[in-house]
Structure formats: C-alpha cells, structure tokens
C-alpha cells in the first residue's frame, strides 16, 4: 500500500528511452530527498518519540493530539526538492512562497534538510535529538504554527489567511532583477478574490528592472471538505483561463513519482530557460512587448504518498487527506500499524545515518549558503534594507505668514517631497508608491514629474504617464494588489507608501491584520531584521466625500488599526501641509510599524509655519496658544481637535466664542499623533497622566472635534482624570450628496454645533451664552433653509479660509 | 463633430443587405430612445435650466458645480435600451445591475423614460417641469448620488464601491428560475479581486431551479486616469480568459451606432435564445452537464457620442471622458457652445414634445408594468419577501439538568434547527446557508441531512454532499462571494445565513459597510420594503483558534459592526446552546438588520434550560442568581461576562472566590445582547441608566470578561454611572499555537486572573484575600511551568466542565 516509488523500482528505461533530463542517479537522489522531506513532514505531524523508527512504533511514540495538514505537504516537498535542483543548475537567486494554507510541515522539513533551520535554531540540530525536537515542536502548545509562519526561515508569507501569495511574490520581484520567486498557489487559495486577480500582476513586471515570478499552481483537487473549482473544470478551460491571464502554462500531471520527477525536472529546466530568455531579450535585445511568462500547473493527488484507503474510505486524492489522515491511533489500534507502514515506506534508514543526519550524498543536493531558500536574504528583508536618501522636508514647506493662510491642499504640498524621495532613490531603486488608480485623485501628481506608472500591457496614444518602468504602481484597480505588492516590497527590504481613499481602505482590513500580526511576531524573533514601515496615506477622506456620497464615507480604518498591538501601530492626523510633511518624513524613516496618515487634498487654510509644525509634530499633541485666549491662565474650556476638517471647525467655533464671549478663557489643543491620548501603559506614545491633565485640565469641559467615529476618543481616554468632561463630536454615519460644510453640520461637527456644545457646558456665560446659543441655532436653521432652497445648485464653498472661519459665516 | 448617427444617416442597406435583426424602423426607434437617454444623462450632469433647449443655451442654464460621470453612461444607456427590446420580444423577467461606478445618470435616465421613476417620485414628472427637477437633483446637495443608489428604482446594487456586481447578480438568481439578471461589469471593476473570482459563480447556478445571469462586460477602456487591463490585452487573451472562466463570450465592438445597434440586437437575441435553450435542456431534457452560459463583451468608446476633442485633447475614447468632459464653461466660453452642440446632437426636438414628454412612439418601446426594469419587484425584494416557516426552536433544546452540564458544542445543537428551517422551506425555496468551505468545520453538519451543497461543476466519486441543487452554498473558498451572493439573495426577498471563521470575516469588512449603508438609506425610503436581515454566524472564534494560531485570532469584527448605524446593527454572544437557539430564531424573524452572532463549536458546559434561556435572551442581559451569592442583597462585587469562553472563566472564578471568600457577595451578570450596554439614546436596545445601575451597581467593582477586544466595553459604557469601576479583560492580541486554556491565560482572561482582579478591588478581604491571591498566582506559575514542560505534548483539555470550573483546576 505504501510502496514509495523511486528509480530502483521504476527503471528510467520505462520512460521510453527518450533523452531524459535526469540521469538515473539524479532521479534516485531527488526521489530520496523528497522521501526525506515527506518523512520529516509525517514525523512532525505524528511523532513524539522514536524519530528514526529505530524500534517498532508504539502508541507512546505518537503525539496525543494530532494536528497539522498533510494534504498539501508532499506536493510542496516535491516542488521544493526540484527547485533546489534548478537553483544549483542555473545558480539561481530564488525564494519560495508557500501559498496553500498550513503548508508548514513542508517548509520546515526542507529548511531543516538544507541546514538553514538549524543555523537559526541550533537546538533543532541535525541529529537524532534535533529530529525529535523538530517533530515535537510542530503545531503544539509552545511550538510552531502549521503555516509557513514568521518563525520559519525563508518565509515572507504565512499562508494563514489565503489569497495573497502571488501579490507578495510580485512585490518581492519589483526592482530585484536577479530574483525569481517560486510561488506555490493552492487551488483552494486560487478561488479567493485577491488571488483571482493577482494573476494579472504579470502586466506590471518589467523584465529589465524586475525579477520574475514563477507561479506553480498546485492542483491537488480539494479544500477542507470540498473539491476545488479549478480541478473540476476541464483542462481545456483551465488552460484557457491561465492563458487568458497572460501566462504560458506547463502541466506536470500524474501520481507516479518516477514519471513525475522527470516531468517536473524537464519542465522546470524549460521554464527557467524561458525566464532567462525573456530577460535576455528585454535586457540585451530591448524587446519591449509584454512577455508571456511561463508558469507550472502541478496536478498531483492530495496527500500524495500517504494512506490510500483507511477504514474503507479513500484518503489519498480526496478531501480526507487535507488534515491528519490517521487521526486517532489510540482508539484504532490498526492505525498504528498503518502509520508505521506509512513512515517506513519512505525508507528512512536509506535517508538518515544512525546519528539522524541526512546522508551526505543527499545533503549535497541542497544549494549552498545564501542560495538555500531558507537562507536567502530576500526572505529576511531587513538584512538588505538600505535607508532612503531623504530630501529635507523643510524645503517643501508651505509659507504660512499667519494662521489661516490659504493652502493648496495638503497632499498637493506633500507631492513634491515624495517626488524627490522617488528621485533621490532612483538609483537605489528601493522606493515605490502604490495605489488603486488614485495617485492623481489623491493629489500626488508631482510624482509624475520624475517617474511614470509602471505598466507592461499595451500602450496607446493619449495615455498619460504610462511606461514599462516607474516608481508609481497605480494602474490596477485593486486595493488587494496594492497592499500585497507593497507588503512583498517591504518584506524584501524596500520602502513604500499606499495611497487610498479612506472609505475603501477597509477592503484590505484583513490583509492589514495579517501584516500587523507578522510584524508583531517578527519583532520578537532576534534573527528577523526589522523592515521599513507600511505607510498608508488616506488623502480622500470622509469629510470631503460630499460629492461622492454616503458610500464613500467611512473613517473606521483608524478603529481597525488601533486594535492591533500598540508596539506596531501609529496613527497621524496632521492638521495642515507642514505637519503632513513632518509626519511623512518621520514615517518614511521609521521601521517595523504600520503608520496610518490621514490628510486632506482640497485647498484648506494652513496653521503652522514649518518651524512650528516640526515642534508640534515632534510633541504629537500640543496647545495652540495663538488660537486660544487662556494664555498662561487656567482655561475655562478646552477646545480640542484632531484632523484637518475638525481643526478648521474648532478654530472657527473658538473665533465665534472669543468674539461673543471674550471673558471665557479657551485653550485650543490639537492632536497630530492620536496615540498620545492613550495612557503610556497602553501605547508607547501615550502621554503621561500628568501631562494629559496639564493639557485637558482635571475638571474643565473639553469639546473634542474628531476626524473619525467619536467613541474612539472615549476608548482612548476613558482612564484619564477628566474623561467625564470630554464631549466628542465626529462622524456618525450621516452624510449624502451635499456640501462639505453641510457634511459637518449633518454630523454635529460644524462650528455652530461645537460652539453650542461649549456654551451648554459653560453655565457661567449666563444670558450672554443663551443669546449666543440662540443666534447659533438660527445660523443652523438658516443653513438648513439655504440647503433646502439652493441645495441643488449651491455655489462652491470648499475654500474655507481663516477669515471666514473667524467670521463664522455659513457660506 | 457631434453628428449622432441613426437610421436616417446610415441606411440599413449599408449593413450589406444581409438579413438584419432590426427593421429600419426599429433601428430608428431604438437609436432615438438611446439618444433620449443620452440627452437626459448629459442634462443631469449639466443643466440647471432650459431642459429642452427651447432657447439658446446660456451660462445661467448650466449648473455652477459640475459633478458626475459621463464615461460609462452612454454605453449603459445603449445596453438598457437594447435590454428593453428583448424584454418585450421574449417577455422576460429581467433586472439590471449597474456595476460600473457612478453609472447613476444612465439608470436614472432610463427609469425616467420608462415611467417607473415618476411613479415613485411624482414630483419628477414626465414633463418639462419634471425634466428640470430631474436634471437639478443629480449629484448635488440635497439631491441624489451619482451611482445606481438605493434611491433609484430597479437597483439592488449601488456601484459606489466596486467589485460586487456579479456576486449580487448570482445571489439574485438563486431560486428565481424565471429571472434573468443583466449585469453590466465595468472593465475597471473587473480588475478587483472580488469581481475577478465572481465569474466562477457560473459553477453554482443550477439551470433547473435558478435563473440566469447575463454578464455584459463593458469594455470601455479606461478607469479614472488609467487604461483598463482587459482593454489592453489582446482580444485573443480576453476571449481565452472568459472562456476559461466558463463563459461563451459574444463581442459587440465598434463606435458606429447603426452597426452597433444591429450587432447588439442580433447578439442579444442570440444570447437570450441560448439561455432559454440551456434552461429548456435542463428542465425538460434533464441535461445535467454544466452549461456554458453566454455573456456579452460590449467594446465601445468611453464617453461615446460625447465631445471628441476639447482644447486639442482627445476626450471620447480616453480616460478624460471619465467624469465631466467640459468642466468649466464659465471660464471657457467656447465650452458653452460645445455643450450646446453636444446636447443638440441628440436632436431633443425629435424625442420630446413641447410639454417635455417622450414622444409616444418612443415611450411605446419601454416594457410595460412590472416588466420595466425599474418596476421589477425583484429589485425591491421586500415586496416578494415571505416569512420563513419556522420550527419551534425549543424543540431542539439541549437538556440542562443543572448549570455546567456537558454540552456537545453549541453550534452542533443549532445545526438540527437550521436543518429544519431549510427543510420546512424547501418548497418555498427562500432560505440558504452560505459559507467558504466551512459548513462542516463550523459545526453545521446537520444541514446535510436534508440538503446538499449546490455545485454545478464536475462530480467525482468520494465527493460528499455535492449536488446540482442544495440549500448550502459553501463550495467556493471566497468570503467575498458568500457575502455578495447572500446580499443578492436577501435583496431580492429571501433569507439566509453566512457562517464564517471569526478572524476571516474581516475579509468582507468593506462589503458589510456598504450593505449596512444600503439598509440605512433604504429604511428611510418609504417605497423600499424591508428585507430579511443579514445574519452572520461566527462559530470558529478567537478563543478556540489555539491550534490554528495567531493568524486565525481576531475578534474585531464586532468593533467594525458597531460603528454602523445603531438602527441597523445587532450583536449577540449567546453563552450556551439554548441561548444560541433562541437568538438565531429571533434573527431569522427579524428584518432589515445586520445580526452578528458569535458562538462556539467545541464541547462546553451548558448553563440555562430552554425556559431560562428564552427569558435571558429576551432580556438580553441579566443576573444569573444561581451562579452568584448576592441573592437579594447588595453585591460587593459584580462579575460580568459576555461570550461563551468568558462566561466559563467567569463562573470558574466566581466558584473560586465563593469557596475561599464566602463572605463576599458576588453578583454574576451575563450579556447576550451586547448593545444592551449602550445608553438607549445611542442604541434602541440600550438599557435605561436606572436598569444598568441596578445590574452593575453605582459604586461596586465590576470585573467584566469579554469575548473580544476589552476596550469595546469601555466605549459602550463610558457614560454609565459606575464606569470608573468597570475593569475589562478580553483579547489583547496575545496567542499562538497553544491550549485553549492557555489562550485565556495569555490574555489575562482566565479564572485565576479574573479572581485576582476581583481580590485587587476588594480590600475588605484582608489577609484572606492576600493569601488567596498568592495561591492563584502560584496556580498561574504552575500552569506556565506545565506548558513549558509539557507544552509540546499536552493532553486535550478542551472539555471544561462545570465541576472542573468550580474546582479551579488548571488542567
């Protein structure tokens, strides 16, 4: 039942006498190497002791709780062994991305066999004691996960949540012309949306400046309990699909190991030579048409070489091979024998010596040094990370002769700075800006002064800024690809930004989760070097989606981000252009964070000179003395704000209050670094309680105008002394097609509501307060009437300037 | 420049004399109808007054602020006009899904032309006054959005966030055998992940019991500022791609209206007949092989019939036609003339009479009554909604002779109830369960006793529960499709559940957002009838992902959901099986909500008899007298819990405290309905402050064990009297491969930490408290030692029972 094939059983002559890629010896060797990896994989899933089967298997040798995923593993072991061969043959710089879920046993087994695992984890040594530990640790409490997790050398992709392998692979090869990423795509994973569109990444890879992605679609037929779609359409349809995606697929299909070894070897030689030919044509012959890159479809049985039938049920080649084929030997005594037969079918005595070391002739098959996929520095990108050459952001300052000076749109000021970051690092080629067709819409047009959009599909006249190479990758309408490409780019040691509409960044909520989890875990692994931060720039934000309407209004990504580990996440809401410059400079220099930056793109008043902005952003939160009138006195009222629109409305409200109730002493506090609000025990940026009290007082009313959902401020400040007096306004899911100012009114965040909120908490204003409140309520009524009357043809009122703010005009 | 074609200019003879689908008169009419829709579309984008151009166009006739999207509009008008023709010809029951973003002008124009718009909005009447209002309201403050928004009759799909059109279309045709959904897919939208995999929906449609989706890929070449991928690959590749997806594509390509009318008409006849043939074969000839459904690729210029060149720049057929081609007539006087020429090129005087009514011979072209796509009841699903025939959930009760009785896993108890919901409604065919290959993994195996998984791809031996028809749709590994299909199913008046792993439901965060927004807006439209709620069942939750590890642990979907309107969202965390039954019964009967239900699948102790569970769930929150010892006395301590695992750990902690510190009076509060915690002014379920104070006291310590991120409880309760004394434990992003109990320890949610938290807040326990705390800390040390020593081979400790809970044993 468990007869494992190999050259000894299947003379090479059976292949028909034609010239073969593998000599009989090579075939024999590669099959033995594969059997070794399979043996180690089954060992990881099952064995508690007796790792070399030096005595008959007993129940006490088997783990009590069996966890792990066998189904995908032998196929991945097969691929890995064959990749090793071509790495040696062609001296390839290659890394391995394991897309299928829970493929952990395969990558752990192979990095152990090649030695890279033991170099990082010396206690998992290459001998019997190490083997036992290797088996014990797998998918068990205190041990390692069942995916290609951060703990596994050679991995930049976990495979816990499915769908992102190809995107990561493409991100890794951008600007890495010598790199080939072998990306195993599971046929389950292939059904996800992100993966289904990721195949189109081949229209964005430039064969001159970028490396190559070699997708290997592992068609093993089943998911957890269902067949896969791609395995249940005809091969004709599948080939059409892959050709339609722009690939040249090569099929390696079967279950006879001998035939499969030869087929895989021949195919891999062919595709590697084709990749090299494409690159040569482009690099030396300047061929410019989009190449049809090769890919492989490996159709092999799920759970290949494992139990065929157990208790009368077919296992190999069915969904039942997905996890643990023999699930409870303790209760099914016959299963113990089956397990032993299965393990012995790999003939471990031929693979390992008595000390548990892989036999030298097999160990020799692995690549050497950094050519080993578990030791390739691209898969531990921090090693290769080079600092960006940074222009001085102060040189891009917006002139702000006085607070309220007109601005051109904060992101438009940032653009030239990013342009020069791109320009200064053109030679290093380690900076890119990603976005879903929104670089212009998000106000970063300056980038196109020094670079184009990378685009390798057809060009036509009237196209703008499209070219085979460029620092901007924004021509695909897929947030998933932008995120996945950027992650792959960062994980291999480069820098970048993802610019996106605020509402639609939720599309990649779950990808952010996984990246943040990856950062948390890798930060705790000393051998993993820190990588550049993932920087989000959300420039088309909730308050200026009045023209696109309700579907485009959602500021909840902040809430999502701050649920992740405080050590990893940072959130910035610069109130004007100079603050944005300062913040972005900081983000691009930071390491191993996720930085979320939210800024406006529409013309808006500016508040701080560059000098003041640097000071303010360095502190992250501070009093704007010039805006309030409390000076050094104790304030009667704190007007706090976070975000560009809330800052404008707050300052306008303060102007109203100061004009009409000058005796009220107002302190204006602006927040750039949102995490300053949390206590320091919750977030490393957190303001000490004493400092918080100094800003927000211990007992005075605080009116807090916030960019996003108001309750987030409460969640961050609930332990602060004065929390009970903090009254927050923010977005509360009200909005439609209207004016920008009306957006704030609909959500009670406008100047009038804020001033009324203040008066309501200042009984000492007496009759004057009551009168002013009445006037402000009238203003709101007038505004409503104006909208009702002129709503369908209201003049443009986007350009609120400081003079209007202080006058409190409605329109 | 603006010569609009038509039969008059292009005699039908030019087509070469071959037999044509359209007679010259029909061609003339359909072209006129199309011109009318185009005229109305341009009018919506531009005109403030002078809607019929009854006098020369003046600047004052033009809106000040020009917003809207011309690019996609003429193509959609073309499609709509031709669909009208085949609806009439074949008496089709058809609805229209407008996938491309911002296609609002087209659907509004067409529903206005066919009369359905004015029936719903009588003030937008079919005369000059109505025309003027129609133009004024578009994409302007107080008016209507620029997408196919909820306000637009005939729409079940907004098109604000791109990617979900095809999924909605498939959801709509499930169990609607006579329905055809014409689904226009934008070539920009086609690049998104969700859309790229949605094409595979054709493997889940059964030609006997389901209707047909007719995708129309609108290849108009450009997104906002980039070309589209599908327009820049060869037609050969595109055809391969679509055939690979399993479709038979028909190309209608060109820019000459006459030729295009004939081509579209002939093609539509062909595809409709093909659809009918497929259905006939399946329904009468019992053909069982998967059909290759037809689809159309309409390749037409972006901004077709609009300005060709403006200021020397090509507009028609480029990305510049995406939004407003003539953007500022006020500043460019020449543009006013261009605009007038453009409008007059449609010859409005031939289309509308002097009173602004569409000429009778054109009005006659629209379908009648409910055959009009704007009046089809499927697009206002509440009209068709039939209540589910419900079994009595009490009949499925788990027997709970005493609190702490062993359970089999709460979802496994729910399964038979859902099985019978499916069974009782087999005839109505209006209930389905969706999931990404997880129905078994989520414990709903009972469903397969009465139904199969619907699957129309190939079958093989060893498949389980796969069949051409079934109530379960779980064979595609795409959360996006599950969500989109269920939304489409609900929006057309049926019922359903989406079961999913808790961590990975974040994949559809953004789709949830859009559906919640749709529900909010439609709830405010009196003509929109309420639909069944969208029910999420998250059964593989954070606390039991100890074996899958950190990537599978994320309870943040609750945070995401509660950011949406309180009127729409409901969150339930039933602590045991009987509560889960009661909650799910309620959810399936509810309307127009999103219900989020989180429940466990592993064996766990049960607490409430069915009678007690019904009472508890009806109240949503309550004191568990039997668990505490405060009886009617004032409590010294409140131990609160929400979620199955937190409830178990809380009860265990209470048992420890009661045993060792019996003089402390403890009240146990359990929360099923999370929104009870909010004040009633924030959520309709909110508990009045007095009731809250009665439960949680005004000044006693509260230890709150919560299923998800702890700060959410603070965000919900920060205005409550006793908030300062509420101490919350929950998931804080700690976890790996470990034991279920260690998961709680790593996050300080275990019984020992909870009891220590209580002692820390009960100084009156004095020396006894100090001693107990020391003992509990020792327990934690022992636990850690146990994990460190045995971690890699720890026995199964999933089955915590009440007796263990009260003994406080660690393992």
């Amino acid at each position: 039942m468990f007869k494992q094939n190999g050259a000894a059983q299947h003379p090479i002559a059976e292949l028909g006498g034609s010239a073969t890629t593998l000599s009989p010896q090579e075939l024999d060797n590669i099959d033995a190497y594969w059997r070794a990896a399979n043996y180690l994989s089954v060992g990881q899933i099952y064995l508690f002791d007796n790792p070399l089967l030096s005595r008959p298997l007993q129940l006490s040798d088997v783990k009590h709780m069996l966890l792990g995923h066998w189904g995908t593993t032998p196929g991945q072991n097969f691929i890995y062994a064959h990749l090793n061969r071509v790495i040696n043959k062609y001296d390839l710089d290659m890394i391995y991305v394991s897309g299928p879920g829970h493929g952990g046993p395969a990558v752990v087994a192979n990095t152990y066999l090649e030695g890279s695992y033991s170099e990082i984890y010396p206690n998992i040594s290459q001998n019997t004691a190490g083997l036992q530990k290797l088996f014990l640790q797998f998918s068990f409490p205190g041990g390692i996960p069942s995916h290609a997790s951060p703990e596994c050398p050679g991995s930049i992709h976990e495979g816990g949540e499915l769908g992102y392998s190809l995107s990561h692979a493409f991100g890794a090869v951008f600007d890495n012309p010598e790199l080939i990423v072998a990306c195993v795509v599971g046929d389950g994973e292939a059904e996800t949306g992100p993966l289904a569109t990721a195949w189109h990444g081949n229209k964005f890879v430039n064969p001159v400046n970028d490396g190559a992605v070699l997708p290997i679609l592992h068609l093993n037929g089943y998911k957890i309990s269902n067949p896969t779609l791609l395995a249940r359409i005809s091969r004709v349809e599948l080939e059409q699909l892959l050709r339609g995606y722009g690939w040249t697929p090569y099929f390696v299909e079967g279950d006879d190991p001998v035939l499969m070894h030869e087929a895989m070897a021949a195919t891999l030689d062919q595709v590697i030579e084709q990749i090299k030919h494409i690159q040569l044509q482009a690099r030396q012959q300047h061929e410019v048409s989009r190449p049809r890159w090769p890919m492989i479809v490996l159709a092999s049985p799920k759970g290949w070489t494992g139990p065929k039938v157990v208790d009368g049920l077919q296992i190999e080649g069915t969904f039942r091979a997905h996890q643990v084929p023999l699930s409870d030997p303790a209760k099914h005594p016959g299963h113990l024998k089956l397990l032993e037969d299965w393990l012995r079918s790999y003939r471990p005595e031929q693979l390992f010596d008595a000390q548990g070391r892989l036999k030298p002739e097999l160990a020799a098959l692995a690549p050497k040094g950094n050519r080993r996929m578990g030791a390739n520095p691209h898969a531990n990108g921090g090693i290769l990370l080079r600092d960006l050459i940074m222009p001085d952001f102060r040189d891009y300052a917006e002139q702000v002769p006085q607070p309220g000076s007109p601005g051109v749109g904060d992101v438009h000021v940032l653009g030239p700075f990013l342009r020069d970051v791109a320009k200064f690092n053109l030679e290093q080629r380690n900076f890119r800006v990603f976005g879903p067709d929104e670089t212009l819409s998000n106000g970063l047009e300056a980038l196109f002064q020094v670079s184009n959009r990378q685009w390798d599909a057809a060009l036509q006249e009237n196209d703008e800024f499209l070219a085979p190479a460029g620092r901007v990758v924004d021509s695909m309408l897929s947030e998933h690809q932008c995120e996945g490409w950027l992650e792959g780019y960062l994980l291999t040691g480069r820098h970048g930004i993802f610019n996106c509409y605020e509402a639609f960044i939720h599309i990649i909520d779950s990808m952010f989760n996984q990246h943040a989890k990856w950062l948390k875990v890798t930060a705790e692994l000393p051998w993993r070097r820190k990588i550049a931060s993932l920087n989000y720039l959300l420039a088309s934000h909730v308050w200026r989606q009045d023209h696109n309407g309700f579907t485009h209004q959602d500021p909840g990504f902040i809430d999502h981000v701050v649920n992740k580990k405080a050590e990893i996440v940072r959130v910035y809401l610069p109130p004007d252009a100079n603050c944005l410059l300062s913040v972005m400079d900081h983000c691009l220099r930071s390491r191993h964070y996720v930085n979320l930056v939210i800024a406006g793109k529409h013309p808006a008043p500016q508040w701080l000179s560059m000098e003041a902005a640097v000071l303010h952003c360095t502190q992250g939160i501070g009093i704007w003395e010039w805006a309030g009138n409390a000076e050094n006195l104790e304030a009667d009222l704190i007007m706090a704000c976070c975000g560009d629109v809330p800052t404008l409305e707050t300052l306008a409200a303060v102007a109203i209050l100061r004009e009409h109730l000058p005796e009220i002493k107002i302190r204006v506090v602006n927040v750039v670094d949102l995490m300053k609000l949390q206590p320091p025990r919750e977030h490393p940026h957190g303001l000490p309680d004493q400092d918080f009290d100094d800003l927000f007082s211990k007992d005075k009313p605080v009116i807090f105008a916030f960019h996003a959902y108001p309750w987030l401020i409460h969640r961050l400040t609930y332990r602060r002394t004065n929390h009970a007096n903090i009254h927050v306004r923010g977005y509360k899911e009200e909005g439609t097609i209207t004016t920008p100012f009306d957006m704030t009114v609909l959500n009670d965040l406008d100047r009038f509501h804020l001033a009324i909120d203040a008066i309501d908490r200042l009984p000492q204003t007496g009759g004057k307060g009551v009168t002013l409140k009445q006037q402000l309520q009238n203003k709101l009524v007038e505004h409503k009437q104006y909208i009702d009357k002129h709503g369908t043809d209201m003049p443009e009122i986007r350009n609120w300037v400081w003079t209007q703010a202080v006058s409190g005009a409605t329109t």
Side-chain angles (χ1 to χ4, degrees), chain A residues 8 19 32 34 55 85 139 302 307 359 364 403 426 430 439 470 512 542 605 679 696 720 744 780-781 787 803:
Chain A
W34 180 44
R55 50 179 165 77
R85 190 189 64 83
S139 203
K302 185 142 184 160
K359 295 211 169 164
L426 279 178
N430 62 344
T439 306
F512 155 80
V542 57
F696 291 94
R720 300 295 195 174
T744 65
L780 286 167
V781 172
I787 287 275
T803 51

Side-chain angles (χ1 to χ4, degrees), chain A residues 315-592:
Chain A
I315 304 293
E316 191 194 51
T318 79
F319 66 92
R320 295 188 193 92
H322 182 74
Q323 293 179 301
V324 181
L326 301 161
S327 58
D328 198 351
K331 290 197 184 140
H332 303 87
H335 289 194
L336 186 67
K337 175 71 169 64
L338 280 176
L339 175 59
E340 181 165 0
D341 289 349
W342 177 13
L343 281 160
R344 290 199 190 278
S345 74
Y346 299 116
R347 287 167 269 150
E349 69 285 358
Q350 299 178 6
L351 311 172
F352 301 94
D353 66 19
Q355 286 70 48
R357 283 189 194 83
L358 187 64
K359 295 211 169 164
E361 64 274 23
L362 299 183
L365 298 178
K368 302 292 170 285
N370 283 356
R371 288 307 200 208
R372 293 171 300 173
M373 291 192 284
N376 190 307
H378 291 295
N380 186 4
I383 294 175
L384 302 173
L385 184 64
R386 297 173 65 180
D387 288 346
L388 286 172
I389 303 165
M390 296 284 284
D392 187 339
F393 67 93
R394 296 170 192 80
D395 296 344
Y396 305 84
E398 181 129 66
Q399 293 310 305
V400 184
Q402 71 222 23
S405 300
V408 298
D410 299 348
V411 182
H412 295 276
V413 178
L414 179 70
F417 171 66
L418 293 182
R419 172 198 66 203
D420 288 352
V421 175
K423 183 171 152 188
F424 288 17
N425 296 282
L426 279 178
E427 202 170 323
Q428 292 198 158
R429 292 196 303 157
N430 62 344
F431 176 72
R432 291 203 184 217
V433 177
F434 297 83
D437 192 26
E438 291 169 3
T439 306
L440 288 171
S441 180
N442 284 329
L444 298 176
E445 61 283 343
L447 283 163
F448 296 119
Q449 294 167 10
V450 300
S451 185
N452 285 305
R453 299 164 157 138
Q454 184 152 329
W455 170 268
D456 206 33
L459 293 171
Q460 289 184 8
E461 62 172 334
N462 289 309
D463 286 339
E464 270 189 357
F465 315 132
L466 294 177
R471 297 291 99 198
V472 179
V473 188
D474 88 330
S475 304
M476 187 165 179
L477 185 52
S478 170
E479 286 80 1
H480 291 110
Q481 299 322 302
C482 295
E483 173 79 15
W485 292 341
L486 174 56
E487 288 179 4
Y489 199 66
L490 299 174
L491 287 162
T492 48
R494 285 79 63 79
H495 307 261
I497 291 177
F498 178 5
N499 74 93
C500 188
Y501 273 48
E502 186 178 29
F504 302 140
I505 194 70
H506 277 300
I507 290 170
I508 54 81
D509 272 3
S510 209
M511 296 182 78
F512 155 80
N513 277 353
Q514 297 302 331
H515 189 70
K517 283 175 179 277
W518 178 279
L519 291 178
K520 184 218 174 202
V521 175
T522 52
E524 295 163 357
L525 296 170
W527 63 274
R528 283 268 183 195
R529 299 279 284 278
K530 291 200 168 183
I531 61 171
S533 301
L534 196 165
N535 302 304
Y536 294 103
L537 175 63
L538 308 185
S540 300
H541 68 54
V542 57
W543 298 106
R544 293 306 185 91
Q545 290 301 309
D546 46 282
H547 60 300
N548 280 320
F550 193 43
T551 56
H552 287 50
Q553 296 161 359
D554 186 299
F557 192 61
I558 305 179
D559 301 68
H560 184 71
V561 163
V562 298
N563 274 341
K564 288 288 165 281
K565 272 290 172 191
E567 292 74 18
I568 301 299
V569 297
R570 304 287 182 269
V571 181
Y572 300 98
L573 294 111
D576 69 5
N578 288 339
C579 290
L580 174 59
L581 283 164
S582 173
V583 161
M584 192 55 79
D585 177 77
H586 173 77
C587 292
L588 288 175
R589 295 172 188 274
S590 72
R591 296 289 179 268
H592 231 67

